[in-house]
Amino acid sequence: MKLKENQVTVDFRNISTDFAALKEFMRMREKEELFTPVKEQNKLGIPFFILEDGTKTVDLQKVIEKIVGKDKQDGETGIFTKISG
């Protein structure tokens, strides 16, 4: 399943073209424990998602499961930020 197919609203931030978004991502990457295994594997952690409820993840499947699960429970469409390069 894709995000568009599930009618998920996205606030997309492209760190390749937006220096402020890049700096924001780098600050989060340095302080969030979520990125520890990512850095150990010499990866960037992109795409990176922040869901409406504050959940942070680099796992698209978790995003889809959480949003689709929420939709089934309360009928709302999830909104989250995707930071990508």
Side-chain angles (χ1 to χ4, degrees):
M1 286 189 269
K2 303 241 185 214
L3 299 174
K4 286 183 181 180
E5 291 171 5
N6 286 290
Q7 299 176 339
V8 176
T9 304
V10 177
D11 173 15
F12 176 78
R13 300 188 187 167
N14 188 337
I15 63 173
S16 298
T17 60
D18 182 346
F19 188 67
L22 174 60
K23 285 174 54 176
E24 178 184 12
F25 171 73
M26 293 305 294
R27 278 193 298 271
M28 285 187 279
R29 187 176 184 275
E30 290 307 310
K31 73 176 189 174
E32 298 286 338
E33 287 185 30
L34 156 74
F35 289 101
T36 300
V38 172
K39 291 187 282 187
E40 288 172 352
Q41 297 173 18
N42 293 318
K43 295 183 178 182
L44 291 175
I46 297 172
F48 171 58
F49 303 93
I50 304 172
L51 280 64
E52 191 172 45
D53 67 359
T55 300
K56 297 173 184 173
T57 185
V58 294
D59 186 339
L60 174 60
Q61 189 59 40
K62 285 184 182 178
V63 171
I64 292 170
E65 289 170 6
K66 188 163 183 103
I67 298 298
V68 171
K70 179 180 178 186
D71 287 350
K72 289 179 182 174
Q73 292 172 7
D74 61 21
E76 294 182 15
T77 301
I79 300 172
F80 67 94
T81 300
K82 175 184 177 186
I83 298 178
S84 184

